[in-house]
């Protein structure tokens, strides 16, 4: 094929637009050289663009005409075994490679995930369907493996500039065709009178190439790929990766041709137009450039299919919202207009009913390719005539959709949308309005300035043009874990693969077999995102058996998350155990998080072995902690675990005894410092005291020394009022401070004008002291009552919010105690309140003691057995003793006799 005429024309154009031969001429003539080289390649290169209806139609047409025996496809080579499972799925889906445990990459990259989305309107799906359902055809994936995708990433980042995100995964696509020179894209959008790249591609590539022949399609795509490649910055990491990818693919193809002996004339190489115009192809199928493929790392990769969606693909590859849905609509229109019969995998879910595929007719005889570019570039663009029926249908449908979503749209708005679409298309130099013109017109005429519902008009147009179609992976294509989940939940009689929320009712009392379903659902709730399995009624607590439960399940909506669990293990229990171990052995794990893992091991797995292992880990973490930030959570969880073991096990496990013993010594050591440090709040100090006092009896039985606690309290000298109140409460508990002395100290605070502003903070400390010393509840009610009675309003009113916040944060624990005690002390009816005197203000009446007559002394002296009996009641063993000289002790100590007389009277 000769492109001399095209070279002459471009040379003349370069001379006309510049002062003389230079860079422009080199670029234009280089583009022609790229096209010429790609066309002459012995192995036919088929350039495509990802999710392009024109590429898909051209691919289907070319496969029927050429009927190649080998198809080389630009897709990660390790994904080949999964492609046969596409027939069990509803497109769009994504082929995924996943690695949770990595070896050879930075640890902060984990988990690694690579996805390659596939839609029905894509050229790669046509090639896959043809190869898998046509006897004697071999499909060979030649692109770098998933492992090499990350090997070629810069060490400082997980995803390079060429990769977009599909969820948390690195996206891989066939035919990433977009200008990499920002000024070029801006120039094309400006002169094309479009807003974004998807609209430019639809207007100036999709529509012109929709009806073109094979040679024209190839040469135009080669030209576009060469243009974008030559205008891309030459020193970027992306260009270097592109060239390595091309060398990788040609190396794999040369190896396969040498091993299989296939004729290059019967092969087809499907790749992006950007790669098709590469100079790497100059090496041909018989050449070699010495490129060596590095070995894969030791990372273990898992592979599977996950559901995808149009919106996910658009977000992944930076496409305009709704562009993939518009491409799907354009694909259907192209098939209807060109009469091309597409390829579809037999039994494809969501497609037309599968029929037995008839044998393909013989391949069409090859005709020598000629220069099509010269005529194509010189020919003025063909303006499609206005399809009034289609545009009218769009206008009526968008008004109907707008009314359903709360807009006050009418027939007049439909007419306005129709006319505005034609007006916008004319302003943009096109006779037929595109979906993007119609979308702008609908927003202008209907949306006004208010969106009454959840969806704006732009979103309604996207839905009308096809919506966000979401794929689904069939049961047979699910990993073993996901299939096991479906099988174990079968007694619920729900369609678990169906999207949306379904209600599951579990009456475990009448159907004991549903308890296994309940256990599985609680584990799924722990593993899956919020909303996949949400309990409506019922809870899973330590040591409790479920009775009735109600769940909202959306496993079909969160199918991808369920599938990715299958990459972590072969069963849900195994994944839960791995997650618990990972949480407990994380370098940032705290004692509270490890104890939470212990609880989850008991609640979900009923595994004493794992609970003991994680408990030992909690003991190690506690010993290494130097702060008390997590003391409240540690106290709550240790109490809960201790109560569980005391009620469900004959003896306490060894690890929890060691934990109590170590925790007692640990918090005794940190207590004096926590009382004085500003970083330790009153909550943390109260939790430490709560641990020490509530675990004291068990700790002492295990060999701890109470003197250590007494010394820790004696060495504590706080200055902050709330902590001072906590210290007083601790001293009362230890017997170092009496109730009367504590009451006197509080009275002194109320009587001192200088201490009145800080008195509310003392009260907050007493409220927190209810946790370690619950016996002070009556005293707390007394002090709070005195505060409300004596504090002036300027002090009392600012304190109320902090009191309310304290009671709210610890309300479940403190408020019931305070209310119960207040109900015991205060009168039950309002009229009695006026005459009511608080018990702590009611002075006790002295008991009159009857004066002894002295007659009992003789009787007691005559009958000493009476004194011996009273002494025995008091716990004093002994016998009556007679002083020297025969004098009775009662004669020398008459007060004792008088008291004994009063006791016995």
């Amino acid at each position: 094929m000769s492109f001399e005429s095209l070279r002459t024309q471009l040379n003349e154009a370069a001379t006309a637009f510049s002062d003389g031969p230079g860079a422009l001429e080199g670029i234009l003539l280089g583009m022609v050289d790229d096209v010429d080289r790609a066309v002459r390649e012995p192995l036919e290169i088929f350039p495509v663009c990802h999710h392009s209806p024109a590429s898909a139609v051209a691919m289907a047409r070319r496969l029927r005409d050429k009927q190649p025996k080998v198809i080389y496809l630009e897709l990660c080579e390790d994904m080949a075994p999964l492609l046969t499972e596409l027939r069990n799925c509803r497109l769009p889906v994504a082929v995924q490679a996943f690695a949770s445990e990595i070896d050879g990459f930075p640890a902060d990259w984990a988990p690694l995930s690579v996805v390659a989305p596939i839609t029905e309107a894509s050229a790669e799906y046509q090639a896959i369907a043809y190869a898998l359902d046509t006897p004697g055809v071999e499909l060979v994936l030649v692109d770098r493996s998933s492992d090499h995708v990350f090997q070629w990433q810069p060490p400082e980042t997980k995803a390079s500039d060429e990769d977009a995100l599909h969820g948390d995964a690195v996206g891989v696509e066939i035919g990433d065709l977009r200008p990499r020179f920002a000024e070029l894209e801006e120039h094309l959008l400006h002169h094309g009178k479009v807003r974004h790249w998807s609209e430019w591609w639809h207007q100036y590539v999709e529509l012109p190439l929709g009806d073109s022949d094979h040679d024209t399609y190839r040469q135009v795509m080669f030209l576009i790929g060469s243009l974008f490649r030559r205008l891309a910055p030459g020193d970027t990491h992306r260009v270097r990766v592109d060239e390595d990818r091309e060398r990788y693919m040609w190396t794999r193809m040369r190896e396969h041709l040498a091993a299989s002996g296939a004729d290059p004339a019967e092969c087809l190489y499907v790749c992006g137009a950007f790669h098709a115009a590469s100079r790497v192809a100059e090496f041909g199928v018989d050449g070699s450039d010495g490129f060596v493929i590095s070995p894969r790392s030791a990372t273990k990769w898992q592979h599977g299919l996950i559901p995808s969606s149009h919106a996910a693909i658009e977000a992944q590859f930076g496409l305009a919202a709704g562009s993939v849905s518009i491409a799907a609509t354009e694909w259907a229109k192209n098939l209807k207009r060109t009469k091309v019969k597409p390829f579809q995998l037999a039994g494809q879910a969501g497609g037309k009913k599968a029929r037995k595929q008839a044998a393909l007719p013989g391949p069409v005889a090859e005709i020598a390719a000629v220069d099509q570019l010269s005529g194509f570039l010189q020919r003025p663009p063909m303006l499609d005539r206005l399809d009034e029926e289609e545009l009218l249908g769009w206008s009526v449908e968008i008004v109907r959709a707008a009314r359903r979503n709360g807009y006050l749209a009418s027939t007049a708005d439909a007419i306005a949308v129709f006319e505005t679409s034609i007006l916008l298309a004319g302003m943009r130099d096109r006779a037929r309005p595109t979906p993007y013109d119609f979308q702008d017109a609908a927003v202008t005429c209907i949306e006004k300035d208010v969106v009454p519902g959840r969806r704006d008009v732009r979103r309604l147009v996207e839905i009308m043009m096809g919506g966000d179609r979401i794929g689904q992976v069939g049961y047979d294509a699910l990993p073993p874990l996901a299939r096991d989940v479906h099988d174990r939940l079968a007694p619920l009689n729900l369609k678990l693969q169906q999207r949306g929320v379904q209600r599951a009712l579990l009456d475990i009392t009448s159907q004991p077999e549903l308890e296994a379903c309940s256990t599985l659902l609680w584990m799924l709730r722990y593993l899956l995102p919020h909303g996949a399995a949400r309990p409506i009624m019922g809870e899973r607590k330590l040591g409790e058996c479920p009775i009735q439960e109600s769940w909202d399940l959306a496993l079909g909506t969160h199918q991808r998350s369920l599938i990715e669990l299958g990459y972590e293990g072969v069963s849900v229990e195994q994944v839960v155990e791995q997650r618990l171990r990972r949480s407990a052995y994380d370098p940032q794990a705290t004692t509270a998080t490890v104890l939470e893992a212990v609880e989850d091991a008991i609640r979900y797995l009923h595994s004493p072995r794992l609970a003991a292992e994680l408990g030992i880990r909690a003991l190690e973490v506690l010993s290494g902690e130097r702060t008390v930030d997590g003391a409240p959570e540690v106290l709550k969880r240790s109490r809960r675990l201790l109560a569980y073991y005391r009620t469900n096990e004959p003896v306490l496990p060894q690890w929890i005894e060691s934990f109590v013993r170590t925790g007692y010594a640990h918090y005794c050591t940190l207590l004096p410092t926590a009382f004085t440090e500003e970083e330790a709040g009153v909550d943390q100090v109260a939790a430490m005291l709560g641990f020490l006092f509530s675990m004291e009896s068990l700790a002492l039985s295990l060999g701890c020394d109470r003197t250590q606690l007494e010394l820790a309290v004696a060495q504590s000298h706080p200055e902050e009022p709330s902590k001072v109140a906590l210290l007083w409460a601790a001293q009362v508990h230890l017997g170092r401070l009496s109730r009367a002395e504590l009451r006197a100290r509080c009275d002194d605070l109320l009587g001192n004008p200088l201490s009145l502003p800080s008195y509310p903070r003392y009260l907050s400390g007493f409220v927190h002291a209810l946790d370690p010393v619950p016996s002070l509840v009556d005293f707390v009610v007394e002090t709070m009552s005195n505060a409300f009675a004596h504090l002036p309003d300027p002090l009392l009113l600012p304190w109320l919010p902090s009191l309310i916040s304290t009671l709210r944060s610890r309300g479940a624990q403190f408020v019931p105690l305070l209310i119960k005690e207040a109900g015991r002390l205060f009168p039950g009816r309002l009229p009695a309140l006026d005459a009511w005197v608080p018990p702590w203000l009611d002075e006790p009446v002295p008991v009159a003691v009857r004066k002894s007559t002295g007659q009992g002394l003789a009787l007691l002296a005559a009958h000493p057995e009476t004194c011996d009996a009273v002494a025995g009641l008091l716990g004093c063993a002994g016998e009556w003793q007679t002083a020297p000289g025969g004098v009775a002790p009662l004669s020398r100590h008459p007060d004792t006799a008088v008291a004994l007389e009063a006791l016995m009277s």
Side-chain angles (χ1 to χ4, degrees), residues 728 743-760 762 786 790-792 795:
W728 291 350
R743 182 176 290 108
R745 292 184 180 184
C746 293
D747 292 341
D748 290 342
L749 292 174
L750 280 175
N752 187 354
L754 297 179
S755 62
L756 279 181
S758 60
Y759 189 75
Y762 284 95
N786 289 336
H790 297 92
L791 286 180
L795 291 178

Side-chain angles (χ1 to χ4, degrees), residues 580-821:
L580 293 178
R581 291 180 189 275
R582 190 181 308 136
S583 174
Y585 287 92
D586 187 274
Q588 304 299 324
T590 63
T591 306
T593 58
V594 181
L595 289 178
E596 181 182 7
V598 175
E599 287 189 60
D600 292 337
I602 299 173
R603 288 191 301 165
Y604 301 139
L605 300 177
H606 307 288
S607 175
R609 171 192 55 81
L610 180 61
E613 178 186 341
L614 299 180
I616 296 175
R617 170 61 180 170
L619 181 62
E620 297 173 355
V621 175
L622 178 66
S623 301
E625 286 185 344
R626 294 297 176 263
T627 64
V628 294
D629 295 338
E633 194 71 15
V634 171
L635 172 63
K636 180 179 66 175
R637 297 191 181 279
S638 58
R639 281 176 174 173
R640 198 152 53 206
L641 287 167
L642 189 60
Y644 167 77
Y645 283 120
R646 280 175 169 169
T647 56
N648 293 273
E649 299 292 339
V651 294
L652 291 178
Q654 182 64 35
W655 77 266
I656 201 166
E657 292 182 352
S658 301
F659 185 86
V660 171
R661 188 165 51 246
T662 303
Y664 188 86
H666 179 73
Y667 285 134
C668 282
T669 303
L670 297 180
L671 187 62
T673 305
F675 264 116
T676 56
E677 283 186 346
E678 294 183 358
E679 292 78 7
V682 64
D683 284 330
Q684 284 74 26
V685 178
M688 295 173 65
L689 292 174
F691 187 94
L692 294 171
F693 293 165
S694 61
M695 306 286 181
E696 184 178 13
S697 59
L698 177 59
L700 296 180
S701 68
L702 296 175
C704 294
D705 189 357
R706 195 170 194 263
T707 306
Q708 188 177 7
L709 175 59
E710 294 176 346
L711 289 175
V713 173
Q715 293 172 356
S716 301
H717 305 287
E719 298 180 357
E720 205 277 326
S722 59
K723 292 184 179 180
V724 171
L726 275 177
L727 178 62
W728 291 350
Q731 291 173 344
V732 170
H733 178 80
L734 295 176
R736 300 173 62 89
L737 188 68
S738 66
R739 286 287 191 100
E741 293 173 331
L742 181 61
R743 182 176 290 108
R745 292 184 180 184
C746 293
D747 292 341
D748 290 342
L749 292 174
L750 280 175
N752 187 354
L754 297 179
S755 62
L756 279 181
S758 60
Y759 189 75
R761 297 161 65 187
Y762 284 95
L763 289 181
S764 297
F766 284 127
V767 172
H768 284 86
L770 290 178
D771 186 2
V773 191
S775 60
L776 285 180
V777 61
D778 57 337
F779 180 78
V780 174
V781 173
E782 173 186 340
T783 54
M784 292 180 66
S785 301
N786 289 336
F788 280 97
H790 297 92
L791 286 180
D793 289 346
L795 291 178
L796 182 63
L797 295 180
W799 170 62
L800 289 179
S802 62
L803 174 64
I804 293 173
S805 61
T806 300
L807 294 178
R808 176 177 295 178
S809 62
R810 311 291 292 275
Q813 186 177 0
F814 295 155
V815 173
L817 293 175
L818 294 173
I819 292 177
K820 183 178 180 181
E821 183 64 22

